[in-house]
Amino acid sequence: MTKKAKGQTEITIYPDWCKGCGICVEFCPAKVLALGRDGKARVARLDECINCGFCERHCPDFAIVVRGKGRKRRAPACAENGETPVDKE
Amino acid sequence: MADITELIHDYLRHNKKFPHVFCAGCGHGIVLGALIRSIHALGLSKDEVCIVAGIGCSGRIAAYVDFNTVHTTHGRALTFATGIKMANPKLKVITIMGDGDAMSIGGNHLIHAARRNIGVTALVLNNNIYGMTGGQCSATTPQGATTQTTPFGQMEKAFDIVTLAAAAGANGVYRGSTFHVNMLDRLVATAIERPGFNLVEIITPCHTQYGRKNKYKSAVDMFKWIKKNCVPKEKFDALPEADRGEKMPIGTFVEKDHKGLEQLYGELQARLNRPGRPVAEPEQPSAQHAEESRNIMNKEPK
Amino acid sequence: MAQKKSKQRKAVFALGNEAVVEGALLAGCSFYAGYPITPSSEIMEVMAARLPRSEDGVFIQMEDEIASMGAIIGASLAGRKAMTATSGPGFSLMQENLGFACMTEVPLVVVNVMRGGPSTGLPTSPAQGDVQQARWGTHGDHPVIVLSASDVRECLEMTITAFNFAEKYRTPVILLLDEITAHTREKIELPEPGELEIVGRSYPTVPPEWYKPYEDTMRGVSPMPPIGSGYRHHVTGLTHDVLGFPTQRPDEVKAIMERLFRKIDQFYPDIMLVEEYMTEDADIGVVAYGSVARSAELAIDMAREQGYKAGLIKLKTLFPFPKPFVNRLAARCSRIVVPEMNMGQMSREVKRVAARTTSIRTVNRIDGQIITPTQICKAITQG
């Protein structure tokens, strides 16, 4: 396997969704992530990220988004869209 | 590797509150992610997917995802799924059950769904415990484990879900783990795509109810345990018996190509309703029928 | 339904159980899941022969009655008119998923051919012991419609009515037969498909993103799209809000529970079906249902011959209990006789309604034999 380029990503962690289980922190092969004082995951060493996708796949709460640097949020990709979110308390 | 989480967000229900109800580090969220990725990879539309869930922690998964979802009674998910699939074979029906759901209260439904090879995909989320009710032992709790209802250690042996499903005649039988997610994605996609009854046992951790009482204090500890003990089937088979210990093989166990029940039924119906075929009066039970059954029943009541 | 003699109509010599199948197919039933049990098995056998021969009919034999209920709920959610049939022990197993159908408002029909109980009881003998179970069998407070039939023609008619009520009110409907009705073979004329009123399900008219699966409406019945039609929603046995998601908020719980009752309550006059026989001038009333109603009809004739002015109310709807009819009868009668093949399940209801107005006498029989006209006549004449 070729060595992956480092630091080509932007990582967003939604603190509201993160429950601080620590899976991403423990198993990140490049040790990019750490648990913050609030108990939630945070990005500690962004430059080390090899964009392997482990944290995204293993985050049970879908709280980590890893994007290529400078990439925008893409349009919804599922086969059917056009949802109108219904307000709910 | 991008677009993994964003893709999942597209399939979640926008009118549900997040984060979901599962404990921090629960594998159920990972399974939901794998399920969504598999469905997306197969190019299925949201409308043609029907998720049928049972009761328990795993049953709560259904509410979060934007497909047709049914949250049924305890253990009966497969019966509902059978009805839905037979009523509309075009739907991709996927059941999500826990180990208590599928192996204890719904054990009979599971073996019969496998036997009749109904075109339903069953995901059995095996966390070795009844999580939602507070950590009682289940039919898959390993022998010797401590739970709320086995404070002195479980004496009974655990079900091997994979062997059971295979023996009952399932078309496809797979086992994956929430640590080996790439493989899990592949297994779930295969199980959804293939005809007939396909079952995926998914090893998922419950550190809150199971781990806490069995020396795995945190979610991370449980994932380490899964990482260590879930080995690919080929590797497992090569291991000498003595080294196997707690290890579990993951991968593909059975892959058969029998037609699903709904396919066979559709063919029968097409044959019976072929145009030009003389419409025969269906056989009515004879006049003596009731009398006969009465006589038989008098001898051997049910 | 008018049953006028006409030459176009096909006459068949059918069992009560077979008439149920005829009725179901006329009503548009296209899904049957069941498990064999005496004395209801003929329904299943005839369905097994008929449904695969139709364009879209599905028949499946399940592993038990729990599974049968699950399958027909699933089929109904997928847009089919679905039914199952069973008898006492199987009916007990169905209660769990019957509650699910009440909670999630899934239209379906359950035929229970009553046999002697409790437990395995008398598999081939008649009884009417499941009446209160049909009303209150599943746990939790819930509304449900229970119908009964007393002869073969009524088996056909009431099955159609059961499907119509189920679809109209989005509720499970239970049709109680007894072994005598189910195994009586009589000549009946099959109605032509066009001459019957067949009620279909109401579908949403709003686009999917506006659709609220459990929205309150004037009728109290929310439109119900089949799974796969684009109206993706969540169905759960948990108490849910208008969107179908679980809720524990008292205001939301109250709203949905009250609507469940209201959707049946406000249509009582349409749902309560009875047949009155010689009640215009009666001063002794009889309230009966099922095969016992046939004995009762003959008993009325016998009593009239002896000079007693007796009249019969035959209950076709058991629950909601046809209170106004019984009230009216009680107001004019010095006593009411309630014959039934149990120790007094329907007479409870009659007493609840009429005990203050008149005296109530029960005729009970639980030995697996039919109540004879003579027995009822004796109760009428000897008060």
Side-chain angles (χ1 to χ4, degrees):
Chain A
M1 213 165 139
T2 53
K3 203 173 179 190
K4 287 191 177 169
K6 289 180 181 178
Q8 302 297 309
T9 55
E10 283 172 12
I11 303 175
T12 316
I13 297 174
Y14 301 141
D16 287 357
W17 287 34
C18 175
K19 290 174 186 158
C21 64
I23 296 173
C24 55
V25 176
E26 174 68 30
F27 294 103
C28 174
K31 300 285 166 238
V32 173
L33 304 158
L35 283 183
R37 270 195 205 152
D38 56 354
K40 311 274 173 111
R42 64 178 179 84
V43 184
R45 302 193 301 161
L46 182 61
D47 291 346
E48 296 296 312
C49 176
I50 53 165
N51 198 7
C52 68
F54 184 97
C55 55
E56 286 194 284
R57 280 205 185 79
H58 286 76
C59 177
D61 295 286
F62 320 122
I64 307 176
V65 176
V66 183
R67 252 181 235 145
K69 238 177 196 152
R71 272 195 58 217
K72 292 269 155 49
R73 169 89 170 92
R74 48 154 193 68
C78 47
E80 205 274 345
N81 57 51
E83 290 293 277
T84 313
V86 181
D87 286 329
K88 175 132 176 34
E89 280 177 60
Chain B
M1 280 307 153
D3 289 356
I4 295 172
T5 305
E6 289 182 344
L7 179 82
I8 291 170
H9 291 169
D10 293 342
Y11 283 88
L12 297 180
R13 279 197 165 119
H14 303 302
N15 48 8
K16 270 304 277 187
K17 266 188 285 187
F18 280 91
H20 47 54
V21 295
F22 306 117
C23 304
C26 175
H28 287 14
I30 299 173
V31 176
L32 175 56
L35 176 64
I36 289 172
R37 283 191 297 275
S38 310
I39 288 171
H40 181 78
L42 295 172
L44 301 172
S45 82
K46 288 178 178 180
D47 285 332
E48 64 183 311
V49 176
C50 181
I51 307 284
V52 186
I55 293 288
C57 293
S58 60
R60 294 299 183 115
I61 289 179
Y64 292 105
V65 62
D66 189 18
F67 301 121
N68 304 288
T69 55
V70 188
H71 179 213
T72 67
T73 43
H74 194 22
R76 320 296 177 209
L78 279 170
T79 69
F80 287 67
T82 303
I84 293 168
K85 185 70 181 178
M86 290 300 282
N88 185 355
K90 283 183 208 136
L91 293 169
K92 283 281 178 192
V93 185
I94 302 161
T95 63
I96 302 178
M97 297 173 288
D99 49 320
D101 220 22
M103 304 316 293
S104 292
I105 189 164
N108 197 28
H109 307 308
L110 182 101
I111 55 174
H112 282 276
R115 175 187 63 83
R116 64 168 66 97
N117 203 24
I118 180 83
V120 167
T121 310
L123 306 184
V124 180
L125 277 56
N126 181 5
N127 57 9
N128 311 108
I129 200 92
Y130 284 88
M132 186 162 272
T133 47
Q136 298 81 7
C137 78
S138 79
T140 52
T141 302
Q143 212 169 11
T146 311
T147 70
Q148 292 285 10
T149 48
T150 56
F152 311 109
Q154 167 69 301
M155 285 177 286
E156 301 165 14
K157 277 185 280 184
F159 262 133
D160 181 343
I161 302 178
V162 162
T163 317
L164 182 76
N171 231 11
V173 181
Y174 311 87
R175 184 191 280 133
S177 94
T178 46
F179 186 84
H180 307 86
V181 178
N182 281 336
M183 182 199 252
L184 182 63
D185 286 7
R186 212 166 54 239
L187 295 178
V188 173
T190 316
I192 295 171
E193 197 181 18
R194 285 169 45 78
F197 184 77
N198 289 274
L199 179 140
V200 190
E201 176 189 358
I202 303 170
I203 308 294
T204 168
C206 179
H207 70 279
T208 310
Q209 305 292 7
Y210 179 77
R212 191 165 53 93
K213 295 211 158 225
N214 293 284
K215 296 187 222 124
Y216 308 102
K217 292 270 179 272
S218 69
V220 170
D221 290 343
M222 290 249 43
F223 275 95
K224 281 181 181 163
W225 174 78
I226 292 177
K227 186 183 179 185
K228 184 174 151 228
N229 285 309
C230 289
V231 293
K233 188 168 173 291
E234 299 71 36
K235 252 190 209 168
F236 180 87
D237 291 343
L239 278 177
E241 196 80 42
D243 295 352
R244 288 183 181 173
E246 268 193 306
K247 286 190 172 28
M248 275 174 289
I250 53 173
T252 304
F253 291 80
V254 175
E255 235 169 39
K256 287 185 285 194
D257 282 312
H258 299 305
K259 284 178 184 166
L261 175 69
E262 75 288 350
Q263 278 172 289
L264 292 174
Y265 189 88
E267 287 170 13
L268 166 78
Q269 201 153 34
R271 216 162 49 235
L272 289 174
N273 294 306
R274 206 179 297 144
R277 189 180 181 281
V279 182
E281 271 301 304
E283 284 174 40
Q284 301 264 349
S286 66
Q288 301 93 20
H289 185 88
E291 203 53 47
E292 281 165 12
S293 57
R294 180 190 290 262
N295 292 339
I296 294 164
M297 287 306 295
N298 277 340
K299 277 171 212 153
E300 257 180 25
K302 179 196 163 183
Chain C
M1 183 188 354
Q3 276 283 334
K4 285 180 212 147
K5 286 229 164 184
S6 101
K7 278 186 183 155
Q8 290 96 26
R9 286 213 196 91
K10 195 177 145 197
V12 291
F13 187 53
L15 281 180
N17 278 340
E18 291 162 11
V20 166
V21 177
E22 295 294 345
L25 296 178
L26 284 167
C29 171
S30 68
F31 194 100
Y32 184 98
Y35 186 79
I37 184 165
T38 306
S40 75
S41 299
E42 291 87 1
I43 298 178
M44 188 177 186
E45 289 165 3
V46 182
M47 280 291 191
R50 297 280 294 269
L51 281 173
R53 287 174 199 268
S54 64
E55 281 300 315
D56 63 344
V58 178
F59 170 87
I60 184 167
Q61 177 169 335
M62 298 300 287
E63 56 270 22
D64 54 30
E65 285 89 349
I66 302 171
S68 309
M69 259 324 263
I72 65 168
I73 293 172
S76 186
L77 286 171
R80 302 299 194 104
K81 285 188 174 184
M83 75 172 285
T84 186
T86 188
S87 183
F91 192 54
S92 293
L93 288 181
M94 287 180 178
Q95 298 302 333
E96 177 196 28
N97 283 338
L98 193 62
F100 182 91
C102 291
M103 187 77 239
T104 55
E105 303 172 63
V106 176
L108 49 88
V109 173
V110 180
V111 178
N112 175 10
V113 182
M114 290 184 284
R115 69 188 215 188
S119 188
T120 315
L122 302 162
T124 57
S125 301
Q128 295 178 319
D130 306 349
V131 173
Q132 292 290 349
Q133 185 196 18
R135 175 65 191 89
W136 294 113
T138 191
H139 61 273
D141 215 5
H142 62 280
V144 74
I145 298 175
V146 184
L147 307 175
S148 80
S150 64
D151 59 28
V152 176
R153 185 177 57 86
E154 265 184 32
C155 283
L156 183 142
E157 286 178 12
M158 294 314 286
T159 307
I160 296 170
T161 311
F163 273 100
N164 286 351
F165 283 172
E167 298 294 334
K168 196 168 176 185
Y169 304 111
R170 250 190 99 167
T171 180
V173 176
I174 297 153
L175 175 60
L176 287 182
L177 307 180
D178 52 64
E179 192 271 342
I180 294 174
T181 320
H183 283 163
T184 303
R185 195 174 279 278
E186 283 179 306
K187 184 183 160 192
I188 54 163
E189 288 186 342
L190 296 182
E192 293 294 308
E195 68 182 282
L196 300 164
E197 194 211 355
I198 304 295
V199 179
R201 207 167 287 184
S202 70
Y203 296 114
T205 49
V206 296
E209 57 270 26
W210 294 357
Y211 172 64
K212 291 180 182 170
Y214 297 94
E215 192 174 21
D216 201 352
T217 60
M218 286 287 280
R219 290 204 300 130
V221 181
S222 328
M224 184 179 175
I227 289 176
S229 62
Y231 292 83
R232 298 185 300 276
H233 63 280
H234 188 54
V235 178
T236 176
L238 287 162
T239 307
H240 40 261
D241 58 16
V242 288
L243 295 176
F245 296 123
T247 182
Q248 293 192 336
R249 265 174 50 179
D251 56 332
E252 289 179 338
V253 173
K254 184 166 181 277
I256 187 158
M257 290 312 293
E258 285 183 350
R259 183 174 62 73
L260 282 186
F261 280 90
R262 180 165 59 80
K263 72 176 181 182
I264 309 282
D265 289 0
Q266 64 186 8
F267 294 102
Y268 272 179
D270 297 340
I271 300 172
M272 291 171 176
L273 303 175
V274 301
E275 246 173 50
E276 301 198 33
Y277 181 64
M278 295 198 173
T279 50
E280 302 82 21
D281 62 340
D283 52 24
I284 302 168
V286 178
V287 176
Y289 56 97
S291 61
V292 177
R294 292 185 96 174
S295 292
E297 209 170 306
L298 201 57
I300 299 289
D301 294 343
M302 290 159 69
R304 290 250 168 192
E305 272 173 29
Q306 295 175 37
Y308 293 90
K309 282 185 181 172
L312 166 72
I313 286 186
K314 175 163 81 182
L315 305 175
K316 290 166 125 183
T317 303
L318 301 185
F319 295 101
F321 183 68
K323 190 173 159 181
F325 298 93
V326 175
N327 254 337
R328 221 172 299 144
L329 186 72
R332 67 141 36 103
C333 294
S334 59
R335 69 173 176 279
I336 288 183
V337 178
V338 188
E340 52 186 340
M341 289 186 279
N342 55 49
M343 286 311 283
Q345 297 198 10
M346 214 57 199
S347 60
R348 263 171 186 278
E349 299 295 323
V350 179
K351 281 174 187 162
R352 183 170 64 81
V353 170
R356 272 185 235 165
T357 336
T358 183
S359 76
I360 288 148
R361 162 112 196 245
T362 61
V363 178
N364 307 109
R365 189 156 190 184
I366 50 165
D367 58 354
Q369 299 299 311
I370 190 172
I371 299 181
T372 59
T374 326
Q375 252 180 305
I376 300 169
C377 182
K378 209 167 139 193
I380 294 171
T381 55
Q382 296 178 2

